[in-house]
Amino acid sequence: MKKIGILFGQEHSFPPAFVERVNQKTGGKDIFAEFVKIDKVIQGEPCGYDVVIDRISQDVPFYRAWLKNAALTGTAVVNNPFWWSADEKFFNNALATKIGVAVPRTVLLPSNQPPPDTNDNHFATSAIRSIGKEFSITSAGRRSSSRSPAAVGKMYIGSTIRKNFTGLTTRPATS
């Protein structure tokens, strides 16, 4: 079965109508449409969608990086995320992984602050919906001390978590 995802923010007319119409026309048998669900992003790993229609990544850098990784792993992306930049670290690492170059395993995490002119409604398809709440990265039960206050407000690429991230958890930061 082919899966189509639509990635959007505050828009509440086209995305539901699109999903409903595709599923109505196909009966959900050979082709199925849904709102994109983003849980975790690992470089070079498929996202689970055959096609993604992008309606929001122009406002959210995390979504642009996710879409580039999706395209790299075989997903057809409508509204080209590569238009924004050609030198982004996460994409470069994902590409290197796909062609067999040894690079540190990297996890992409969204910022704990929403980008300008966005709010929680822009993140309706993300598992990390309350993006404004602080979180801390822990590995083996210890709080990461490698993040500077300046890094907190920007998209954080977890290249400092280079080892096996099986013990990686997120938890609310304590004041």
Side-chain angles (χ1 to χ4, degrees), residues 5-8 10-22 35 53-55 78-79:
I6 187 162
L7 182 64
F8 65 99
Q10 296 190 78
E11 184 179 15
H12 296 292
S13 56
F14 177 73
F18 174 81
V19 167
E20 182 181 335
R21 184 70 171 160
V22 168
F35 302 150
I53 299 169
D54 171 28
R55 310 276 296 172
V78 178
N79 292 329

Side-chain angles (χ1 to χ4, degrees), residues 88-150:
E88 185 224 49
K89 182 179 179 182
F90 183 76
F91 173 75
N92 293 340
N93 278 356
L95 179 59
T97 298
K98 291 306 274 185
I99 62 173
V101 176
V103 294
R105 290 192 67 177
T106 303
V107 176
L108 181 67
L109 300 173
S111 170
N112 73 340
Q113 299 292 319
D117 301 321
T118 65
N119 58 44
D120 276 352
N121 292 333
H122 283 86
F123 302 92
T125 59
S126 177
I128 306 170
R129 185 164 170 127
S130 296
I131 198 156
K133 292 184 179 173
E134 286 192 37
F135 58 89
S136 64
I137 306 304
T138 61
S139 181
R142 290 193 326 253
R143 190 169 181 178
S144 171
S145 61
S146 62
R147 293 190 320 161
S148 69

